[in-house]
Amino acid sequence: LVYEQHGEATAVVQLKNLEVPKLGDSDVHVKMLAAPINPADINMIQGTYPLLPPLPAVGGNEGVGEVLEVGHRVTALKPGDWVIPADSGFGTWRTRGLFPEKMLLKVPSDIPMLCAATLSVNPCTAFRVLADFESLAPGDSIIQNAANSGVGQAVIQIARASSIKTINVVRDRPDLPKLVERLMALGADHVVTEEMLRKPEMKDIFKSIPRPRLALNCVGGKSTTEMLRHLQPKGTMVTYGGMAKQPVMVPVSAFIFRDVRLRGFWMTQWRKDHAQDQESVAAMMDALCQLIRRGQLTAPACTEVPLQDYRAALEASMKPFVSSKQILLL
């Protein structure tokens, strides 16, 4: 799926037949199996993302493929291995591709395909924001908005596996009870709407669990300000997305009297910073794969779409209130 100019995804993305280049010494020939459509993929096509591949470009930053053939200098991979992108700007929306070995990470092929296809962005983001900003112990709590997003669902499950309580904020919607039920089934402790954040009933939640030391923000605007109120003094809020396209507004009193910390996180930057630190990357991937094998981390709610129906998948991924991730089957 190629785009030659930036613009609305459904208008500029086209399905094209391309030749696979000749295999080089350090190259790996990969048959892609499945690739999701993430918000960052759409932003790249629109030209609004901070990282843009040169045009023409193949869409998609995440997915899983099977190694078909390797160049004679390739040591870590062999035919039959499953691989995922080591970095973004990869172009996963294709049936086959030739990639340098260093652009690929091997993943176990005994985990479900949809878990592998959605492993390198959202679960990694969830893992890092939970691990890198506050040292959380069993019984501690966190609060997050956009709790039904891919990252939100992964945060709930990873926190649950470590006995960390989660307060999960979602937008009010027609099928709210169904969504609440689904998040509770994943291991959410509390699910509240943005409106409930400013109601006195919030105090009841803190009778049974401590106030959160960590807030995870993917929305911005009013939702963030309200969430911040419930943070412990000296707590940290990490912003990793801005779905409302509104700034993060913080009352001065939160800084002065409660000494809250505001941080930002971008998975792409973390990968750049740790490019020479393969131990950290391997430890994270191993921890996530262990959770998947134990049934403690599942793929987000997914809708599987054949590659030729890509336009419908792109349209569906841009609709509001969609809790199901579109996955292209390749």
Side-chain angles (χ1 to χ4, degrees):
L1 290 177
V2 179
Y3 56 101
E4 293 176 352
Q5 63 188 65
H6 295 302
E8 213 40 65
T10 45
V12 298
V13 173
Q14 292 177 314
L15 188 55
K16 292 199 168 179
N17 283 316
L18 304 171
E19 287 290 311
V20 177
K22 197 166 162 290
L23 189 74
D25 292 350
S26 304
D27 287 338
V28 180
H29 184 184
V30 177
K31 174 186 187 284
M32 292 304 296
L33 302 172
I37 299 176
N38 289 318
D41 303 330
I42 301 290
N43 295 150
M44 274 188 179
I45 296 164
Q46 291 165 338
T48 59
Y49 203 66
L51 182 89
L52 298 174
L55 299 175
V58 177
N61 288 289
E62 189 179 34
V64 63
E66 183 186 333
V67 174
L68 294 178
E69 198 184 355
V70 298
H72 70 84
R73 283 211 190 124
V74 174
T75 53
L77 296 169
K78 61 183 188 308
D81 284 346
W82 275 15
V83 288
I84 62 172
D87 215 338
S88 37
F90 191 86
T92 51
W93 300 348
R94 61 173 101 210
T95 53
R96 298 197 171 195
L98 210 60
F99 306 103
E101 180 186 16
K102 64 176 191 299
M103 283 180 73
L104 300 164
L105 286 177
K106 183 179 169 180
V107 292
S109 53
D110 64 345
I111 62 174
M113 183 176 74
L114 292 182
C115 287
T118 54
L119 182 61
S120 66
V121 178
N122 295 337
C124 290
T125 298
F127 186 90
R128 297 262 58 103
V129 293
L130 284 170
D132 294 353
F133 296 92
E134 286 282 347
S135 42
L136 298 168
D140 282 345
S141 79
I142 66 124
I143 188 167
Q144 64 164 346
N145 55 22
N148 57 310
S149 66
V151 173
Q153 293 175 57
V155 162
I156 289 170
Q157 295 173 85
I158 295 167
R160 174 70 179 269
S162 304
S163 302
I164 291 159
K165 308 287 183 193
T166 57
I167 301 159
N168 300 280
V169 186
V170 295
R171 286 184 295 176
D172 201 1
R173 62 194 65 214
D175 61 346
L176 184 67
K178 210 194 240 166
L179 175 62
V180 171
E181 195 181 314
R182 195 154 65 74
L183 296 181
M184 297 298 268
L186 286 180
D189 294 284
H190 298 277
V191 182
V192 298
T193 61
E194 293 187 337
E195 291 70 30
M196 273 181 69
L197 277 179
R198 54 192 88 109
K199 293 202 170 145
E201 293 90 282
M202 281 299 289
K203 286 200 182 80
D204 296 342
I205 290 178
F206 301 120
K207 286 174 184 165
S208 58
I209 63 172
R211 284 189 177 270
R213 288 176 40 200
L214 180 67
L216 305 175
N217 168 44
C218 175
V219 179
K222 199 179 279 183
S223 163
T224 314
T225 315
E226 295 299 338
M227 205 162 59
L228 204 60
R229 282 182 189 189
H230 301 294
L231 205 55
Q232 270 189 37
K234 295 193 186 320
T236 304
M237 183 165 77
V238 181
T239 293
Y240 67 92
M243 282 159 39
K245 296 186 169 61
Q246 290 168 353
V248 170
M249 308 286 274
V250 182
V252 171
S253 60
F255 282 125
I256 299 174
F257 303 118
R258 292 180 32 242
D259 191 16
V260 297
R261 275 174 293 216
L262 265 59
R263 301 286 304 274
F265 181 79
W266 187 28
M267 194 64 219
T268 302
Q269 188 61 48
W270 187 92
R271 287 192 197 285
K272 276 200 187 84
D273 296 346
H274 293 79
Q276 305 310 314
D277 176 14
Q278 283 313 301
E279 270 178 38
S280 292
V281 178
M284 170 175 68
M285 293 320 245
D286 188 50
L288 291 169
C289 289
Q290 294 288 3
L291 289 171
I292 292 167
R293 283 200 192 94
R294 290 201 295 264
Q296 292 176 305
L297 178 62
T298 56
C302 291
T303 305
E304 298 171 47
V305 184
L307 180 62
Q308 58 271 27
D309 297 339
Y310 72 93
R311 274 215 169 87
L314 286 170
E315 269 170 27
S317 71
M318 292 188 278
K319 286 196 178 115
F321 297 126
V322 173
S323 295
S324 185
K325 196 179 276 295
Q326 302 292 306
I327 307 272
L328 297 167
L329 296 181
L330 307 161

